[in-house]
Amino acid sequence: MNIRDRYAPSPTGLQHIGGIRTALFNCLFARSQGGKFILRLEDTDRTRSDESYVQNLYDTFSWLGIKWDEGPDVGGQYSPYIQSERTKFYKEYTGELLKNKLAYYCFCPPERLERLREVREAARSSETGYDRLCRSINPEEAAKRAAGGEPCTIRLKIPLGETTRFHDHLLGDIEWKNEDINPDPVLLKSDGFPTYHLANVVDDHLMEISHVLRAQEWLSSTPLHVIMYKSFGWTPPEFCHLPMVMGQDGKKLSKRHGATSIDEFRLNGYLPEALINYVALLGASYEDGRDIYSLNELAQRFNLEKLNKAPAVFDYKKLEWYNGQYIRMKSDEELASLCLPFAVAAGLFGAEPSPQERAVFTAAMPLVKERLVFLSEVPEKIAYLFREPELPGAEEFIPKKSDLAKTIELLQIGCGLARTLAEMPDDEQAENFIKAEAEKKEVKLGDLMMPLRVAVTGSRVSPPLFGSLRILGPEKALARVQKALKKLELSNK
Ligand code: GLU
């Protein structure tokens, strides 16, 4: 069997976690089976579809590094892959159904359907949907009226008194009484555009899709789709409805829980590898005892048998952990390139940093890499390497159990050491040197370092001091300590 699956988004919103999870699972499944992964744009909702969302889709997947084998941008043997360009197929196939009396013209104007709804609501009727009024019109007469230009839709004739059965790979055998299915849904709208159901089924068939892996919220459409496959005389694909993605509170993941659009994650400083790795685990398990997988490794291991039935819970903290892990795997050069846009946006330097600025930026990466959770944290953490920090009030310089006069003495010692510390080739030598000096001067190492740190970085909490001094160089290092010393001396008068 040729395995072919697809991601079939409607471009009516930004790409979000649920969507990329579906896309990723389809991509992994196709790769794991040596099959083909297809992108199809389901843009039949003319009022809600928007070009900007199509662009967002391409941008998102190019950032994630997820590629399809066939799609609107890369082409393929089943082109076009955009439903608004495929209307002739939908017309042709509804024509077949009409011919076989498995669908019918409906001339009910929207006002009638609206009134029907109101009347039922007022009567608290449990009936919903269409009342099948036009189902009984003589087909020849209906065809004449339609040919004469009378506005109409085409509806599917749901066989009554039957039960529709299908198998879901994850959920097992499912059956629905046809009476419980939306009564005779519209296939082709009066403007000649298909509804989701028609276009989805026709295209899955024409594109020879073997497996439909989609979110569980589509499960209720599947009985209808199965009836349509039967009406057309086609074999349905295999279905696998993926578990829902929930927030920690058990409700469907939404903005209330945090970022959901992939744009937000990117702008907040997430790495695509972290998102892919984490999202791949939402409802699937791979090998025990391992957390980190590349896209290729996931593709080798993906297996429908390892999908979970239970809803997947989206844990932002776990995703942050992944992000930190992937950040630490980057070389300093890679990390600097990734963080550069955030530094430019924060105004650390202009859009085109000078070679000198770039060198300082790269040299600063080892200072922050170990503790970083988001790329976006970098500019604020290392801003003091690019501009002189604003010095806090004198009290911030004073170590515990010390006072201003003693702190001034400590900083005087620091002043004498700043140059040499900045010239030390590595942390170890800098540390040995300052330890020896502290002993000589009979002061505590911590007490000596604290005011020095505030003078150089502007804060008690900062990236490692020795590395910072080294990057600043002897001149700047000394100038900062002298300036801070002056400030303390002035406040002591
Ligand atoms: N166009 C639907 C969506 O937006 C596709 C559902 C399906 O995969 O069948 O998700």
Side-chain angles (χ1 to χ4, degrees), residues 6 8-10 22 40 42 196 200 204 212-215 218 225:
R6 79 320 189 256
S10 300
T22 302
R40 182 175 73 226
E42 302 209 324
Y196 153 70
N200 189 270
D204 279 345
V212 167
L213 273 58
R214 63 181 167 202
W218 296 101
H225 294 185

